Amino acid sequence: MDISKFKDLFISEAEDRLQILNDNLLVLEKNPSDGKLLDELMRSSHTIKSSSATMGYKKMAFLMHVMEDIFDYARNGVLKITPTIIDQLFKTIDISEKSLASIKESNNELNVDAIIEELKKITGVKTEGTGKSIRAADGKPIVVDIKPKEEKQINNVEVTAVEPEKKANIVQAGEVVQKIEHIKVPIKRLDDLMNLMEELLVDKMRLEQFKNRDVELKGVIEHLGRLVSDIQHQVMQARLVPVDQIFARFPRMVRDLSQNQNKQVELEVSGGEIELDRTVVDKLGEPLVHILRNAVDHGIEKSGIIKLQAMRENDFALIIVENNGVGINFGKVRQAAVKRNIIGAKEADSLNKDQIMNLLFHPRLSTNDEVTETSGRGVGLSVVKGFTDQIGGRVIIESPLSGNNGTRFTLELPLTIAIINSLLVGVKDTLFAIPFSSIERSVNIQNGEIKSMADQDVAVVSGVDVPLVYLDKVFSLNGAEIADIKFKSIEDASQELEVKNLKSSITAVLIKRGKDVTGIVIDKLINEQEIIVKPLPSVLHGTKGFSGSTILGNGKTILILDVVSLLEDAKKFVRTSR
């Protein structure tokens, strides 16, 4: 029997079980005599042992068996779980994960003999001959026999651990076979399905152009449209994964970091059931690592609490990291920026709180005097900003939260970055797509409601000042083709901006993120359109103002506006003018 075809399933299940071991060890560290917890740890290690043995990974099987001894001794009251033992168990999980990664990549196990010997010292296990060990800590030796099965069966190992006096009394309880409610699907298969879905969506858009030509054809196209929408919904649902897949790794990380810095830090995690597109979740891990490291290193002085939370808000997910330690020292941030030649001393003195906040995202800024394992290079928060910009989200910093204490980082992220609803707008002879999730409404603004503040035009909408962004000026649109557009910054464009009262009113699409609102001035509203988000072509990589591109039903490629960067730039110039 060829069992190699089960390798992927084995690895997936082993990864899940190692994560469960890791999570439960964190709880056991606080409740070392919890019998139910020890039972669960025993089951997880036993499951990995059995599946490893079945697959022929003998080293992994024996490592799990020796670790299982520790849980067995502890639950039977013959071994007390100490911080030293917890540390050794965490090391065991770490090397197990590395060995599993090696199996995944090259089908070769790592040498785990050293860690096995360390675990044996804890239980007092002695090796006798080949493949046998005797445990006598409780005065009742248990013989562990590891022997190959016969060749006509599966070529692997069988692990048994039976107390001789209880062998005759072992009876397996009947188990009810549960329905399979979840299956593991290779990511590539989902990606391929998504690509086919995108092609189907484009064809649907093309067909919609003909539905008014024939009554019967119209009915068929409308029915096809409903089917495509249903299939699309199911595909999108299949791509969603809970953020707990990322959150689960952080309690252990925070525990290790706090121990290294002699701090008492408690991590509270909630909202792990919130689901995001796999692509977003895949990229979420690294920025969260930097924020949590920052909280341990800069936020918590001696002891404190860090909260990691996920929640839904309209079409966005909010990932919140909050600590109750010291707030951000803005004076120190300003000094660090000057010291590292990011800004000049005179400019630093004129910065307000929001502008100092923005300095935190500079790739060279760090308030640490020395480079350590956790910080000091100034890279961390720039990674966070790069991540949110890349996927059309944003990061918000609040500090202090109460008195002079506490800092909160909020990542506002789209639920999916594959297929989105958008509003198509026209500026000159160019079309753009604006994500609907950021649109508040469209308005007609009379010229008398527009006022100039320094280099920025502001419209009064419902009594609120709304900064305006003129896309034709920002992108230098004078009937040029998309390929010929040369992007300018809003700052450059605003210096040339001359509002001519050729029309009695203008049309603007109000975009809103949080409390900030900006009006994007356009020539005409086209229609609402579901679009497929494609990465920018290589010639436009790094171009500010666009978050991607899409293909319409007529085959034309248009650009998707990065409303976050437009909003941030407009807000910056309004602040300056005021």
Side-chain angles (χ1 to χ4, degrees):
M1 179 179 177
D2 179 18
I3 61 172
S4 61
K5 60 185 177 181
F6 301 116
K7 179 182 171 181
D8 290 342
L9 181 60
F10 159 74
I11 290 173
S12 178
E13 290 182 344
E15 288 174 341
D16 290 345
R17 285 293 171 180
L18 286 173
Q19 185 60 57
I20 291 172
L21 279 169
N22 191 85
D23 295 343
N24 285 335
L25 274 181
L26 288 167
V27 181
L28 185 70
E29 188 172 30
K30 300 172 185 175
N31 306 281
S33 59
D34 188 325
K36 291 184 179 179
L37 200 55
L38 288 166
D39 286 341
E40 181 58 37
L41 286 161
M42 185 89 175
R43 280 192 292 270
S44 294
S45 53
H46 183 82
T47 299
I48 300 175
K49 177 182 72 174
S50 299
S51 58
S52 298
T54 299
M55 292 297 296
Y57 300 121
K58 301 179 183 180
K59 294 176 182 177
M60 176 74 80
F62 192 57
L63 176 61
M64 289 295 108
H65 171 69
V66 177
M67 183 166 67
E68 189 181 21
D69 286 347
I70 294 176
F71 303 134
D72 191 21
Y73 278 28
R75 69 177 183 172
N76 285 311
V78 295
L79 178 68
K80 182 179 180 181
I81 299 294
T82 65
T84 302
I85 292 176
I86 291 288
D87 288 341
Q88 199 66 49
L89 291 170
F90 274 129
K91 289 179 183 177
T92 303
I93 293 175
D94 290 343
I95 198 167
S96 298
E97 289 176 340
K98 291 177 182 177
S99 186
L100 193 63
S102 179
I103 291 171
K104 185 176 183 179
E105 183 177 346
S106 63
N107 206 39
N108 293 321
E109 297 183 79
L110 297 183
N111 189 327
V112 294
D113 291 346
I115 195 73
I116 286 175
E117 292 304 316
E118 292 299 318
L119 295 179
K120 285 181 179 180
K121 291 177 183 178
I122 296 173
T123 57
V125 169
K126 295 181 180 179
T127 302
E128 234 184 41
T130 304
K132 289 189 177 182
S133 61
I134 297 177
R135 299 180 291 174
D138 60 354
K140 297 179 180 180
I142 302 174
V143 179
V144 182
D145 189 14
I146 302 180
K147 59 183 180 180
K149 283 190 174 180
E150 297 178 12
E151 281 298 322
K152 61 182 179 182
Q153 298 178 345
I154 300 173
N155 184 24
N156 59 12
V157 294
E158 178 184 15
V159 181
T160 58
V162 182
E163 293 185 22
E165 66 270 29
K166 294 182 180 180
K167 186 172 182 179
N169 298 323
I170 294 179
V171 178
Q172 297 292 334
E175 295 184 0
V176 178
V177 178
Q178 301 291 331
K179 286 185 178 180
I180 297 176
E181 296 182 354
H182 298 87
I183 61 172
K184 294 182 181 293
V185 180
I187 290 174
K188 185 179 183 305
R189 191 173 298 169
L190 281 178
D191 289 342
D192 290 343
L193 186 59
M194 191 65 191
N195 290 335
L196 292 172
M197 180 66 243
E198 291 172 355
E199 291 183 26
L200 188 59
L201 187 59
V202 171
D203 284 346
K204 186 198 82 168
M205 289 190 288
R206 293 179 64 187
L207 282 171
E208 285 176 344
Q209 300 177 61
F210 305 102
K211 68 180 181 181
N212 294 325
R213 299 185 183 181
D214 184 278
V215 175
E216 186 176 349
L217 180 61
K218 180 180 178 180
V220 173
I221 292 175
E222 288 178 349
H223 181 254
L224 174 64
R226 289 193 295 271
L227 288 177
V228 170
S229 296
D230 289 345
I231 295 172
Q232 174 192 327
H233 174 74
Q234 294 301 327
V235 172
M236 298 301 293
Q237 291 298 307
R239 287 174 59 90
L240 296 178
V241 295
V243 294
D244 191 54
Q245 291 192 8
I246 296 296
F247 282 10
R249 73 175 70 170
F250 295 126
R252 168 72 188 283
M253 186 193 83
V254 171
R255 179 248 184 206
D256 291 347
L257 283 175
S258 58
Q259 281 198 347
N260 290 339
Q261 298 187 25
N262 295 318
K263 298 179 180 180
Q264 296 292 326
V265 182
E266 185 79 18
L267 178 65
E268 297 180 358
V269 181
S270 61
E273 72 281 358
I274 297 297
E275 293 182 322
L276 293 177
D277 191 287
R278 175 193 61 80
T279 307
V280 178
V281 174
D282 282 348
K283 298 176 180 178
L284 179 61
E286 185 179 6
L288 282 182
V289 166
H290 288 296
I291 295 177
L292 289 168
R293 282 175 174 266
N294 190 75
V296 174
D297 200 39
H298 297 284
I300 307 298
E301 291 185 305
K302 293 296 181 182
S303 63
I305 297 173
I306 299 175
K307 296 180 180 180
L308 173 60
Q309 180 185 12
M311 57 189 297
R312 284 280 297 271
E313 187 175 275
N314 299 324
D315 292 329
F316 292 91
L318 302 182
I319 308 296
I320 303 168
V321 180
E322 177 182 320
N323 72 79
N324 64 350
V326 294
I328 295 173
N329 187 327
F330 294 102
K332 195 171 183 180
V333 173
R334 184 187 285 112
Q335 292 170 6
V338 173
K339 182 179 179 180
R340 293 176 181 248
N341 296 318
I342 296 172
I343 56 173
K346 185 176 293 186
E347 182 185 356
D349 292 335
S350 65
L351 296 180
N352 59 30
K353 181 178 176 180
D354 287 343
Q355 291 168 326
I356 297 174
M357 287 279 200
N358 287 332
L359 285 175
L360 292 171
F361 299 116
H362 196 282
R364 288 192 291 111
L365 186 124
S366 176
T367 56
N368 275 12
D369 295 326
E370 297 180 357
V371 175
T372 67
E373 290 184 2
T374 55
S375 62
R377 299 188 186 277
V379 176
L381 293 185
S382 68
V383 170
V384 178
K385 186 67 164 60
F387 160 71
T388 54
D389 288 349
Q390 181 186 10
I391 67 169
R394 65 171 181 161
V395 55
I396 306 164
I397 305 178
E398 301 168 82
S399 184
L401 301 178
S402 177
N404 293 320
N405 297 327
T407 300
R408 180 187 298 124
F409 284 82
T410 301
L411 305 185
E412 186 182 77
L413 310 176
L415 300 178
T416 179
I417 57 177
I419 298 177
I420 63 172
N421 285 323
S422 69
L423 179 66
L424 300 187
V425 299
V427 182
K428 301 297 184 183
D429 59 356
T430 303
L431 295 182
F432 294 105
I434 305 176
F436 241 105
S437 57
S438 299
I439 296 176
E440 186 179 61
R441 59 188 167 121
S442 61
V443 293
N444 284 322
I445 303 172
Q446 301 300 315
N447 285 339
E449 298 172 328
I450 300 174
K451 55 186 177 180
S452 294
M453 292 184 170
D455 292 326
Q456 177 72 50
D457 270 14
V458 176
V460 180
V461 180
S462 301
V464 178
D465 288 351
V466 176
L468 298 177
V469 175
Y470 295 82
L471 293 183
D472 58 338
K473 301 298 182 181
V474 172
F475 299 130
S476 300
L477 297 179
N478 294 304
E481 294 297 325
I482 291 178
D484 297 325
I485 295 175
K486 183 179 180 182
F487 178 78
K488 292 184 177 182
S489 69
I490 290 180
E491 185 173 20
D492 292 337
S494 65
Q495 292 174 357
E496 301 175 4
L497 185 59
E498 295 179 3
V499 180
K500 298 179 180 179
N501 296 321
L502 300 178
K503 298 180 181 179
S504 61
S505 66
I506 62 171
T507 301
V509 177
L510 301 187
I511 57 175
K512 183 175 183 179
R513 301 298 290 270
K515 298 179 181 179
D516 300 320
V517 180
T518 295
I520 297 180
V521 180
I522 60 171
D523 292 335
K524 55 185 175 181
L525 298 170
I526 309 299
N527 66 345
E528 179 183 351
Q529 183 72 65
E530 205 166 44
I531 61 173
I532 303 157
V533 180
K534 294 291 187 182
L536 289 173
S538 57
V539 294
L540 291 177
H541 280 175
T543 301
K544 190 176 181 182
F546 306 119
S547 60
S549 64
T550 190
I551 302 174
L552 300 182
N554 59 8
K556 185 176 182 179
T557 298
I558 67 171
L559 294 169
I560 304 168
L561 294 181
D562 177 9
V563 295
V564 175
S565 64
L566 292 175
L567 186 148
E568 289 180 348
D569 281 351
K571 184 175 67 171
K572 177 173 66 175
F573 293 114
V574 170
R575 279 202 308 266
T576 302
S577 65
R578 291 179 180 175

